[in-house]
PDB file of all heavy atoms in Angstrom:
ATOM      1  N   ASN A1206      19.396   8.036  -2.810  1.00 97.00           N
ATOM      2  CA  ASN A1206      20.694   8.395  -3.087  1.00 97.00           C
ATOM      3  C   ASN A1206      21.415   7.638  -4.144  1.00 97.00           C
ATOM      4  O   ASN A1206      22.724   7.476  -4.132  1.00 97.00           O
ATOM      5  CB  ASN A1206      21.546   8.457  -1.794  1.00 97.00           C
ATOM      6  CG  ASN A1206      20.952   9.351  -0.737  1.00 97.00           C
ATOM      7  OD1 ASN A1206      20.484  10.485  -0.958  1.00 97.00           O
ATOM      8  ND2 ASN A1206      20.720   8.715   0.487  1.00 97.00           N
ATOM      9  N   SER A1257      23.147   3.082  -4.449  1.00 97.00           N
ATOM     10  CA  SER A1257      23.589   4.259  -3.974  1.00 97.00           C
ATOM     11  C   SER A1257      25.145   4.281  -3.868  1.00 97.00           C
ATOM     12  O   SER A1257      25.796   5.266  -4.057  1.00 97.00           O
ATOM     13  CB  SER A1257      23.069   4.434  -2.459  1.00 97.00           C
ATOM     14  OG  SER A1257      23.679   5.605  -1.862  1.00 97.00           O
ATOM     15  N   SER A1258      25.735   3.187  -3.514  1.00 98.00           N
ATOM     16  CA  SER A1258      27.189   3.101  -3.458  1.00 98.00           C
ATOM     17  C   SER A1258      27.822   3.502  -4.737  1.00 98.00           C
ATOM     18  O   SER A1258      28.869   3.950  -4.812  1.00 98.00           O
ATOM     19  CB  SER A1258      27.635   1.669  -2.983  1.00 98.00           C
ATOM     20  OG  SER A1258      27.165   0.678  -3.850  1.00 98.00           O
ATOM     21  N   GLN A1259      27.188   3.061  -5.892  1.00 98.00           N
ATOM     22  CA  GLN A1259      27.661   3.413  -7.185  1.00 98.00           C
ATOM     23  C   GLN A1259      27.563   4.876  -7.454  1.00 98.00           C
ATOM     24  O   GLN A1259      28.521   5.515  -7.921  1.00 98.00           O
ATOM     25  CB  GLN A1259      26.837   2.522  -8.292  1.00 98.00           C
ATOM     26  CG  GLN A1259      26.968   1.015  -8.133  1.00 98.00           C
ATOM     27  CD  GLN A1259      26.017   0.285  -8.912  1.00 98.00           C
ATOM     28  OE1 GLN A1259      24.953   0.880  -9.387  1.00 98.00           O
ATOM     29  NE2 GLN A1259      26.247  -0.950  -9.022  1.00 98.00           N
ATOM     30  N   ALA A1260      26.436   5.508  -7.108  1.00 98.00           N
ATOM     31  CA  ALA A1260      26.293   6.909  -7.309  1.00 98.00           C
ATOM     32  C   ALA A1260      27.335   7.699  -6.453  1.00 98.00           C
ATOM     33  O   ALA A1260      27.944   8.697  -6.918  1.00 98.00           O
ATOM     34  CB  ALA A1260      24.879   7.335  -6.950  1.00 98.00           C
ATOM     35  N   CYS A1261      27.485   7.235  -5.181  1.00 98.00           N
ATOM     36  CA  CYS A1261      28.490   7.865  -4.317  1.00 98.00           C
ATOM     37  C   CYS A1261      29.848   7.847  -4.942  1.00 98.00           C
ATOM     38  O   CYS A1261      30.561   8.841  -4.752  1.00 98.00           O
ATOM     39  CB  CYS A1261      28.228   7.298  -2.929  1.00 98.00           C
ATOM     40  SG  CYS A1261      26.797   7.711  -2.001  1.00 98.00           S
ATOM     41  N   ARG A1262      30.177   6.654  -5.396  1.00 98.00           N
ATOM     42  CA  ARG A1262      31.633   6.574  -5.829  1.00 98.00           C
ATOM     43  C   ARG A1262      31.844   7.316  -7.161  1.00 98.00           C
ATOM     44  O   ARG A1262      32.871   7.963  -7.304  1.00 98.00           O
ATOM     45  CB  ARG A1262      31.973   5.067  -6.082  1.00 98.00           C
ATOM     46  CG  ARG A1262      33.344   4.824  -6.011  1.00 98.00           C
ATOM     47  CD  ARG A1262      33.728   3.384  -5.974  1.00 98.00           C
ATOM     48  NE  ARG A1262      33.893   2.691  -7.238  1.00 98.00           N
ATOM     49  CZ  ARG A1262      34.904   2.921  -7.915  1.00 98.00           C
ATOM     50  NH1 ARG A1262      35.966   3.665  -7.702  1.00 98.00           N
ATOM     51  NH2 ARG A1262      35.029   2.383  -9.126  1.00 98.00           N
ATOM     52  N   MET A1264      30.481  10.152  -7.693  1.00 98.00           N
ATOM     53  CA  MET A1264      30.577  11.533  -7.177  1.00 98.00           C
ATOM     54  C   MET A1264      32.045  11.670  -6.676  1.00 98.00           C
ATOM     55  O   MET A1264      32.796  12.717  -7.017  1.00 98.00           O
ATOM     56  CB  MET A1264      29.577  11.766  -6.086  1.00 98.00           C
ATOM     57  CG  MET A1264      29.887  13.086  -5.286  1.00 98.00           C
ATOM     58  SD  MET A1264      28.776  13.329  -3.985  1.00 98.00           S
ATOM     59  CE  MET A1264      29.064  12.135  -2.760  1.00 98.00           C
ATOM     60  N   GLU A1265      32.370  10.808  -5.753  1.00 98.00           N
ATOM     61  CA  GLU A1265      33.779  10.842  -5.245  1.00 98.00           C
ATOM     62  C   GLU A1265      34.923  10.916  -6.206  1.00 98.00           C
ATOM     63  O   GLU A1265      35.926  11.601  -6.226  1.00 98.00           O
ATOM     64  CB  GLU A1265      34.007   9.731  -4.207  1.00 98.00           C
ATOM     65  CG  GLU A1265      33.108   9.851  -2.990  1.00 98.00           C
ATOM     66  CD  GLU A1265      32.889   8.505  -2.294  1.00 98.00           C
ATOM     67  OE1 GLU A1265      33.786   7.591  -2.517  1.00 98.00           O
ATOM     68  OE2 GLU A1265      32.100   8.379  -1.480  1.00 98.00           O
ATOM     69  N   ILE A1283      25.078  14.178  -5.115  1.00 97.00           N
ATOM     70  CA  ILE A1283      23.971  13.280  -5.090  1.00 97.00           C
ATOM     71  C   ILE A1283      22.730  14.124  -5.334  1.00 97.00           C
ATOM     72  O   ILE A1283      22.540  15.205  -4.665  1.00 97.00           O
ATOM     73  CB  ILE A1283      23.929  12.699  -3.688  1.00 97.00           C
ATOM     74  CG1 ILE A1283      25.164  11.586  -3.569  1.00 97.00           C
ATOM     75  CG2 ILE A1283      22.576  11.833  -3.512  1.00 97.00           C
ATOM     76  CD1 ILE A1283      25.128  10.465  -4.432  1.00 97.00           C
ATOM     77  N   VAL A1295      22.887  18.167  -1.149  1.00 94.00           N
ATOM     78  CA  VAL A1295      22.994  16.966  -0.222  1.00 94.00           C
ATOM     79  C   VAL A1295      24.459  16.968   0.223  1.00 94.00           C
ATOM     80  O   VAL A1295      25.360  16.908  -0.661  1.00 94.00           O
ATOM     81  CB  VAL A1295      22.636  15.657  -0.901  1.00 94.00           C
ATOM     82  CG1 VAL A1295      22.862  14.462   0.066  1.00 94.00           C
ATOM     83  CG2 VAL A1295      21.195  15.710  -1.383  1.00 94.00           C
ATOM     84  N   GLU A1296      24.716  16.985   1.518  1.00 95.00           N
ATOM     85  CA  GLU A1296      26.135  17.109   2.014  1.00 95.00           C
ATOM     86  C   GLU A1296      26.668  15.789   2.493  1.00 95.00           C
ATOM     87  O   GLU A1296      25.884  14.911   2.766  1.00 95.00           O
ATOM     88  CB  GLU A1296      26.172  18.079   3.168  1.00 95.00           C
ATOM     89  CG  GLU A1296      25.423  19.286   2.946  1.00 95.00           C
ATOM     90  CD  GLU A1296      26.112  20.556   3.523  1.00 95.00           C
ATOM     91  OE1 GLU A1296      27.296  20.461   3.962  1.00 95.00           O
ATOM     92  OE2 GLU A1296      25.433  21.512   3.760  1.00 95.00           O
ATOM     93  N   ASP A1297      27.950  15.641   2.229  1.00 95.00           N
ATOM     94  CA  ASP A1297      28.630  14.437   2.709  1.00 95.00           C
ATOM     95  C   ASP A1297      28.328  14.039   4.105  1.00 95.00           C
ATOM     96  O   ASP A1297      28.202  12.899   4.479  1.00 95.00           O
ATOM     97  CB  ASP A1297      30.161  14.586   2.576  1.00 95.00           C
ATOM     98  CG  ASP A1297      30.602  14.659   1.067  1.00 95.00           C
ATOM     99  OD1 ASP A1297      29.712  14.409   0.248  1.00 95.00           O
ATOM    100  OD2 ASP A1297      31.818  14.913   0.889  1.00 95.00           O
ATOM    101  N   GLU A1298      28.060  15.103   4.975  1.00 95.00           N
ATOM    102  CA  GLU A1298      27.806  14.854   6.291  1.00 95.00           C
ATOM    103  C   GLU A1298      26.493  14.094   6.417  1.00 95.00           C
ATOM    104  O   GLU A1298      26.374  13.254   7.383  1.00 95.00           O
ATOM    105  CB  GLU A1298      27.533  16.330   7.036  1.00 95.00           C
ATOM    106  CG  GLU A1298      27.156  16.273   8.359  1.00 95.00           C
ATOM    107  CD  GLU A1298      28.335  16.768   9.364  1.00 95.00           C
ATOM    108  OE1 GLU A1298      29.278  17.198   8.795  1.00 95.00           O
ATOM    109  OE2 GLU A1298      28.126  16.688  10.528  1.00 95.00           O
ATOM    110  N   ASP A1299      25.636  14.255   5.519  1.00 96.00           N
ATOM    111  CA  ASP A1299      24.392  13.510   5.568  1.00 96.00           C
ATOM    112  C   ASP A1299      24.487  12.115   4.975  1.00 96.00           C
ATOM    113  O   ASP A1299      23.565  11.312   5.026  1.00 96.00           O
ATOM    114  CB  ASP A1299      23.344  14.270   4.787  1.00 96.00           C
ATOM    115  CG  ASP A1299      23.074  15.661   5.321  1.00 96.00           C
ATOM    116  OD1 ASP A1299      23.468  16.003   6.448  1.00 96.00           O
ATOM    117  OD2 ASP A1299      22.628  16.580   4.468  1.00 96.00           O
ATOM    118  N   LEU A1300      25.574  11.817   4.354  1.00 98.00           N
ATOM    119  CA  LEU A1300      25.672  10.486   3.680  1.00 98.00           C
ATOM    120  C   LEU A1300      26.757   9.585   4.134  1.00 98.00           C
ATOM    121  O   LEU A1300      26.916   8.494   3.745  1.00 98.00           O
ATOM    122  CB  LEU A1300      26.147  10.871   2.217  1.00 98.00           C
ATOM    123  CG  LEU A1300      25.105  11.693   1.394  1.00 98.00           C
ATOM    124  CD1 LEU A1300      25.766  12.110   0.085  1.00 98.00           C
ATOM    125  CD2 LEU A1300      23.818  10.819   1.118  1.00 98.00           C
ATOM    126  N   THR A1301      27.543   9.993   5.287  1.00 98.00           N
ATOM    127  CA  THR A1301      28.516   9.196   5.843  1.00 98.00           C
ATOM    128  C   THR A1301      28.180   8.472   7.174  1.00 98.00           C
ATOM    129  O   THR A1301      28.994   7.715   7.725  1.00 98.00           O
ATOM    130  CB  THR A1301      29.815   9.921   5.936  1.00 98.00           C
ATOM    131  OG1 THR A1301      29.541  11.258   6.624  1.00 98.00           O
ATOM    132  CG2 THR A1301      30.433  10.353   4.579  1.00 98.00           C
ATOM    133  N   ARG A1302      27.144   8.867   7.848  1.00 98.00           N
ATOM    134  CA  ARG A1302      26.779   8.208   9.103  1.00 98.00           C
ATOM    135  C   ARG A1302      25.588   7.368   9.036  1.00 98.00           C
ATOM    136  O   ARG A1302      24.525   7.753   8.500  1.00 98.00           O
ATOM    137  CB  ARG A1302      26.596   9.429  10.086  1.00 98.00           C
ATOM    138  CG  ARG A1302      26.627   8.870  11.641  1.00 98.00           C
ATOM    139  CD  ARG A1302      26.414   9.995  12.577  1.00 98.00           C
ATOM    140  NE  ARG A1302      25.034  10.573  12.440  1.00 98.00           N
ATOM    141  CZ  ARG A1302      24.419  11.047  13.481  1.00 98.00           C
ATOM    142  NH1 ARG A1302      24.861  10.909  14.705  1.00 98.00           N
ATOM    143  NH2 ARG A1302      23.155  11.598  13.262  1.00 98.00           N
ATOM    144  N   ILE A1303      25.802   6.143   9.543  1.00 98.00           N
ATOM    145  CA  ILE A1303      24.798   5.146   9.450  1.00 98.00           C
ATOM    146  C   ILE A1303      24.268   4.850  10.862  1.00 98.00           C
ATOM    147  O   ILE A1303      24.972   5.134  11.962  1.00 98.00           O
ATOM    148  CB  ILE A1303      25.142   3.888   8.767  1.00 98.00           C
ATOM    149  CG1 ILE A1303      26.226   3.073   9.515  1.00 98.00           C
ATOM    150  CG2 ILE A1303      25.582   4.145   7.385  1.00 98.00           C
ATOM    151  CD1 ILE A1303      26.471   1.700   9.078  1.00 98.00           C
ATOM    152  N   TYR A1323      33.885  -2.200   5.212  1.00 98.00           N
ATOM    153  CA  TYR A1323      33.314  -1.386   4.113  1.00 98.00           C
ATOM    154  C   TYR A1323      34.104  -0.153   3.855  1.00 98.00           C
ATOM    155  O   TYR A1323      33.765   0.490   2.876  1.00 98.00           O
ATOM    156  CB  TYR A1323      31.820  -1.051   4.435  1.00 98.00           C
ATOM    157  CG  TYR A1323      31.067  -2.413   4.756  1.00 98.00           C
ATOM    158  CD1 TYR A1323      30.684  -2.637   6.168  1.00 98.00           C
ATOM    159  CD2 TYR A1323      30.768  -3.314   3.776  1.00 98.00           C
ATOM    160  CE1 TYR A1323      30.116  -3.961   6.395  1.00 98.00           C
ATOM    161  CE2 TYR A1323      30.126  -4.431   4.051  1.00 98.00           C
ATOM    162  CZ  TYR A1323      29.769  -4.834   5.405  1.00 98.00           C
ATOM    163  OH  TYR A1323      29.185  -5.962   5.619  1.00 98.00           O
ATOM    164  N   PRO A1325      37.114   2.907   5.731  1.00 98.00           N
ATOM    165  CA  PRO A1325      37.593   3.465   7.078  1.00 98.00           C
ATOM    166  C   PRO A1325      36.484   4.067   7.913  1.00 98.00           C
ATOM    167  O   PRO A1325      35.661   4.736   7.385  1.00 98.00           O
ATOM    168  CB  PRO A1325      38.597   4.562   6.578  1.00 98.00           C
ATOM    169  CG  PRO A1325      39.008   4.135   5.248  1.00 98.00           C
ATOM    170  CD  PRO A1325      37.777   3.403   4.677  1.00 98.00           C
ATOM    171  N   ARG A1347      30.233   6.369  11.684  1.00 98.00           N
ATOM    172  CA  ARG A1347      30.546   7.411  10.809  1.00 98.00           C
ATOM    173  C   ARG A1347      31.795   6.931   9.983  1.00 98.00           C
ATOM    174  O   ARG A1347      32.740   6.583  10.420  1.00 98.00           O
ATOM    175  CB  ARG A1347      31.006   8.710  11.572  1.00 98.00           C
ATOM    176  CG  ARG A1347      31.500   9.778  10.592  1.00 98.00           C
ATOM    177  CD  ARG A1347      30.480  10.567   9.849  1.00 98.00           C
ATOM    178  NE  ARG A1347      29.718  11.479  10.819  1.00 98.00           N
ATOM    179  CZ  ARG A1347      28.790  12.293  10.383  1.00 98.00           C
ATOM    180  NH1 ARG A1347      28.426  12.336   9.179  1.00 98.00           N
ATOM    181  NH2 ARG A1347      28.260  13.162  11.324  1.00 98.00           N
ATOM    182  N   PHE A1348      31.442   6.897   8.657  1.00 98.00           N
ATOM    183  CA  PHE A1348      32.504   6.593   7.661  1.00 98.00           C
ATOM    184  C   PHE A1348      33.180   7.943   7.095  1.00 98.00           C
ATOM    185  O   PHE A1348      32.737   8.952   7.296  1.00 98.00           O
ATOM    186  CB  PHE A1348      31.957   5.740   6.460  1.00 98.00           C
ATOM    187  CG  PHE A1348      31.573   4.386   6.903  1.00 98.00           C
ATOM    188  CD1 PHE A1348      30.251   4.107   7.273  1.00 98.00           C
ATOM    189  CD2 PHE A1348      32.537   3.266   6.765  1.00 98.00           C
ATOM    190  CE1 PHE A1348      29.890   2.839   7.658  1.00 98.00           C
ATOM    191  CE2 PHE A1348      32.126   2.022   7.175  1.00 98.00           C
ATOM    192  CZ  PHE A1348      30.883   1.727   7.552  1.00 98.00           C
ATOM    193  N   GLU A1349      34.276   7.623   6.448  1.00 97.00           N
ATOM    194  CA  GLU A1349      34.929   8.820   5.811  1.00 97.00           C
ATOM    195  C   GLU A1349      34.294   9.200   4.524  1.00 97.00           C
ATOM    196  O   GLU A1349      34.142  10.382   4.199  1.00 97.00           O
ATOM    197  CB  GLU A1349      36.465   8.566   5.532  1.00 97.00           C
ATOM    198  CG  GLU A1349      37.151   8.403   6.854  1.00 97.00           C
ATOM    199  CD  GLU A1349      38.645   8.163   6.714  1.00 97.00           C
ATOM    200  OE1 GLU A1349      39.058   8.252   5.468  1.00 97.00           O
ATOM    201  OE2 GLU A1349      39.303   7.909   7.703  1.00 97.00           O
ATOM    202  N   ARG A1350      33.723   8.250   3.872  1.00 98.00           N
ATOM    203  CA  ARG A1350      33.207   8.539   2.435  1.00 98.00           C
ATOM    204  C   ARG A1350      31.790   7.997   2.315  1.00 98.00           C
ATOM    205  O   ARG A1350      31.358   6.951   2.873  1.00 98.00           O
ATOM    206  CB  ARG A1350      34.049   7.871   1.399  1.00 98.00           C
ATOM    207  CG  ARG A1350      35.502   8.378   1.324  1.00 98.00           C
ATOM    208  CD  ARG A1350      36.127   7.734   0.188  1.00 98.00           C
ATOM    209  NE  ARG A1350      37.484   8.048   0.274  1.00 98.00           N
ATOM    210  CZ  ARG A1350      38.380   8.296  -0.785  1.00 98.00           C
ATOM    211  NH1 ARG A1350      37.809   7.964  -2.023  1.00 98.00           N
ATOM    212  NH2 ARG A1350      39.578   8.582  -0.679  1.00 98.00           N
ATOM    213  N   PRO A1351      30.972   8.833   1.595  1.00 98.00           N
ATOM    214  CA  PRO A1351      29.606   8.389   1.300  1.00 98.00           C
ATOM    215  C   PRO A1351      29.501   7.015   0.733  1.00 98.00           C
ATOM    216  O   PRO A1351      28.590   6.158   1.093  1.00 98.00           O
ATOM    217  CB  PRO A1351      29.076   9.524   0.394  1.00 98.00           C
ATOM    218  CG  PRO A1351      29.872  10.613   0.765  1.00 98.00           C
ATOM    219  CD  PRO A1351      31.200  10.121   1.087  1.00 98.00           C
ATOM    220  N   SER A1352      30.422   6.633  -0.224  1.00 98.00           N
ATOM    221  CA  SER A1352      30.270   5.299  -0.801  1.00 98.00           C
ATOM    222  C   SER A1352      30.488   4.214   0.169  1.00 98.00           C
ATOM    223  O   SER A1352      29.975   3.080   0.023  1.00 98.00           O
ATOM    224  CB  SER A1352      31.357   5.184  -1.947  1.00 98.00           C
ATOM    225  OG  SER A1352      32.641   5.281  -1.407  1.00 98.00           O
ATOM    226  N   HIS A1353      31.296   4.380   1.156  1.00 98.00           N
ATOM    227  CA  HIS A1353      31.514   3.438   2.183  1.00 98.00           C
ATOM    228  C   HIS A1353      30.264   3.168   3.148  1.00 98.00           C
ATOM    229  O   HIS A1353      29.979   2.070   3.513  1.00 98.00           O
ATOM    230  CB  HIS A1353      32.842   3.759   2.960  1.00 98.00           C
ATOM    231  CG  HIS A1353      34.112   3.680   2.231  1.00 98.00           C
ATOM    232  ND1 HIS A1353      35.111   4.561   2.513  1.00 98.00           N
ATOM    233  CD2 HIS A1353      34.350   3.110   1.109  1.00 98.00           C
ATOM    234  CE1 HIS A1353      36.055   4.302   1.535  1.00 98.00           C
ATOM    235  NE2 HIS A1353      35.646   3.469   0.757  1.00 98.00           N
ATOM    236  N   ALA A1354      29.798   4.282   3.496  1.00 98.00           N
ATOM    237  CA  ALA A1354      28.477   4.189   4.230  1.00 98.00           C
ATOM    238  C   ALA A1354      27.414   3.484   3.451  1.00 98.00           C
ATOM    239  O   ALA A1354      26.740   2.500   3.955  1.00 98.00           O
ATOM    240  CB  ALA A1354      28.058   5.588   4.672  1.00 98.00           C
ATOM    241  N   ALA A1355      27.353   3.722   2.106  1.00 98.00           N
ATOM    242  CA  ALA A1355      26.399   3.023   1.272  1.00 98.00           C
ATOM    243  C   ALA A1355      26.659   1.535   1.104  1.00 98.00           C
ATOM    244  O   ALA A1355      25.771   0.822   1.214  1.00 98.00           O
ATOM    245  CB  ALA A1355      26.426   3.757  -0.075  1.00 98.00           C
ATOM    246  N   LEU A1356      27.944   1.258   1.048  1.00 98.00           N
ATOM    247  CA  LEU A1356      28.293  -0.211   0.916  1.00 98.00           C
ATOM    248  C   LEU A1356      27.862  -0.897   2.243  1.00 98.00           C
ATOM    249  O   LEU A1356      27.481  -2.080   2.251  1.00 98.00           O
ATOM    250  CB  LEU A1356      29.841  -0.383   0.647  1.00 98.00           C
ATOM    251  CG  LEU A1356      30.276  -0.116  -0.788  1.00 98.00           C
ATOM    252  CD1 LEU A1356      31.777  -0.043  -0.771  1.00 98.00           C
ATOM    253  CD2 LEU A1356      29.754  -1.105  -1.618  1.00 98.00           C
ATOM    254  N   ALA A1357      28.178  -0.257   3.326  1.00 98.00           N
ATOM    255  CA  ALA A1357      27.751  -0.968   4.628  1.00 98.00           C
ATOM    256  C   ALA A1357      26.307  -1.173   4.643  1.00 98.00           C
ATOM    257  O   ALA A1357      25.821  -2.281   5.014  1.00 98.00           O
ATOM    258  CB  ALA A1357      28.244  -0.032   5.835  1.00 98.00           C
ATOM    259  N   ILE A1358      25.440  -0.200   4.289  1.00 98.00           N
ATOM    260  CA  ILE A1358      24.075  -0.281   4.308  1.00 98.00           C
ATOM    261  C   ILE A1358      23.581  -1.377   3.350  1.00 98.00           C
ATOM    262  O   ILE A1358      22.621  -2.242   3.699  1.00 98.00           O
ATOM    263  CB  ILE A1358      23.409   1.119   3.879  1.00 98.00           C
ATOM    264  CG1 ILE A1358      23.609   1.932   5.068  1.00 98.00           C
ATOM    265  CG2 ILE A1358      21.851   0.784   3.650  1.00 98.00           C
ATOM    266  CD1 ILE A1358      23.123   3.388   4.748  1.00 98.00           C
ATOM    267  N   GLU A1359      24.240  -1.383   2.242  1.00 98.00           N
ATOM    268  CA  GLU A1359      23.875  -2.480   1.232  1.00 98.00           C
ATOM    269  C   GLU A1359      24.252  -3.913   1.578  1.00 98.00           C
ATOM    270  O   GLU A1359      23.540  -4.796   1.230  1.00 98.00           O
ATOM    271  CB  GLU A1359      24.412  -2.069  -0.214  1.00 98.00           C
ATOM    272  CG  GLU A1359      23.774  -0.858  -0.779  1.00 98.00           C
ATOM    273  CD  GLU A1359      24.694  -0.247  -1.838  1.00 98.00           C
ATOM    274  OE1 GLU A1359      25.702  -0.820  -2.269  1.00 98.00           O
ATOM    275  OE2 GLU A1359      24.320   0.918  -2.346  1.00 98.00           O
ATOM    276  N   LEU A1369      20.837   5.065   6.768  1.00 97.00           N
ATOM    277  CA  LEU A1369      21.422   6.331   7.008  1.00 97.00           C
ATOM    278  C   LEU A1369      20.869   7.033   8.160  1.00 97.00           C
ATOM    279  O   LEU A1369      19.732   7.091   8.367  1.00 97.00           O
ATOM    280  CB  LEU A1369      21.323   7.288   5.740  1.00 97.00           C
ATOM    281  CG  LEU A1369      22.374   7.311   4.587  1.00 97.00           C
ATOM    282  CD1 LEU A1369      22.040   8.394   3.613  1.00 97.00           C
ATOM    283  CD2 LEU A1369      23.786   7.424   5.140  1.00 97.00           C
ATOM    284  N   TYR A1411      39.851  14.957  -5.338  1.00 44.00           N
ATOM    285  CA  TYR A1411      38.918  14.786  -4.279  1.00 44.00           C
ATOM    286  C   TYR A1411      39.548  14.282  -2.998  1.00 44.00           C
ATOM    287  O   TYR A1411      38.847  13.562  -2.218  1.00 44.00           O
ATOM    288  CB  TYR A1411      37.723  13.846  -4.651  1.00 44.00           C
ATOM    289  CG  TYR A1411      36.380  14.356  -4.276  1.00 44.00           C
ATOM    290  CD1 TYR A1411      35.932  15.567  -4.754  1.00 44.00           C
ATOM    291  CD2 TYR A1411      35.542  13.652  -3.477  1.00 44.00           C
ATOM    292  CE1 TYR A1411      34.702  16.053  -4.400  1.00 44.00           C
ATOM    293  CE2 TYR A1411      34.351  14.081  -3.035  1.00 44.00           C
ATOM    294  CZ  TYR A1411      33.811  15.399  -3.466  1.00 44.00           C
ATOM    295  OH  TYR A1411      32.686  15.770  -3.093  1.00 44.00           O
ATOM    296  N   TYR A1414      38.556  14.122   0.837  1.00 49.00           N
ATOM    297  CA  TYR A1414      37.927  13.017   1.548  1.00 49.00           C
ATOM    298  C   TYR A1414      38.866  12.463   2.646  1.00 49.00           C
ATOM    299  O   TYR A1414      38.415  11.878   3.601  1.00 49.00           O
ATOM    300  CB  TYR A1414      37.439  11.894   0.700  1.00 49.00           C
ATOM    301  CG  TYR A1414      35.974  12.206   0.169  1.00 49.00           C
ATOM    302  CD1 TYR A1414      35.701  12.608  -1.055  1.00 49.00           C
ATOM    303  CD2 TYR A1414      35.007  11.964   1.137  1.00 49.00           C
ATOM    304  CE1 TYR A1414      34.499  12.918  -1.415  1.00 49.00           C
ATOM    305  CE2 TYR A1414      33.799  12.172   0.763  1.00 49.00           C
ATOM    306  CZ  TYR A1414      33.354  12.625  -0.559  1.00 49.00           C
ATOM    307  OH  TYR A1414      32.202  13.008  -0.951  1.00 49.00           O
ATOM    308  N   VAL A1417      38.278  15.006   5.885  1.00 49.00           N
ATOM    309  CA  VAL A1417      36.946  15.412   6.440  1.00 49.00           C
ATOM    310  C   VAL A1417      36.694  14.991   7.856  1.00 49.00           C
ATOM    311  O   VAL A1417      36.154  15.692   8.646  1.00 49.00           O
ATOM    312  CB  VAL A1417      35.739  14.850   5.569  1.00 49.00           C
ATOM    313  CG1 VAL A1417      35.752  15.576   4.179  1.00 49.00           C
ATOM    314  CG2 VAL A1417      35.748  13.381   5.404  1.00 49.00           C
ATOM    315  N   ARG A1421      35.713  17.444  10.871  1.00 51.00           N
ATOM    316  CA  ARG A1421      34.400  17.325  11.471  1.00 51.00           C
ATOM    317  C   ARG A1421      34.441  17.130  12.891  1.00 51.00           C
ATOM    318  O   ARG A1421      33.644  17.507  13.611  1.00 51.00           O
ATOM    319  CB  ARG A1421      33.578  16.211  10.832  1.00 51.00           C
ATOM    320  CG  ARG A1421      32.214  16.184  11.290  1.00 51.00           C
ATOM    321  CD  ARG A1421      31.307  15.382  10.385  1.00 51.00           C
ATOM    322  NE  ARG A1421      32.081  14.286   9.680  1.00 51.00           N
ATOM    323  CZ  ARG A1421      32.171  14.062   8.425  1.00 51.00           C
ATOM    324  NH1 ARG A1421      31.535  14.894   7.603  1.00 51.00           N
ATOM    325  NH2 ARG A1421      32.849  13.157   7.928  1.00 51.00           N
TER     326      ARG A1421
END
Side-chain angles (χ1 to χ4, degrees):
Chain A
N1206 304 311
S1257 173
S1258 57
Q1259 299 167 343
C1261 290
R1262 208 166 84 76
M1264 170 180 71
E1265 291 158 15
I1283 294 297
V1295 177
E1296 310 216 23
D1297 291 353
E1298 179 109 7
D1299 304 336
L1300 298 169
T1301 49
R1302 194 177 66 142
I1303 67 172
Y1323 306 106
R1347 173 80 74 177
F1348 289 91
E1349 293 181 7
R1350 301 188 184 207
S1352 63
H1353 295 151
L1356 281 171
I1358 290 171
E1359 290 162 9
L1369 262 190
Y1411 225 60
Y1414 269 102
V1417 291
R1421 184 161 33 234

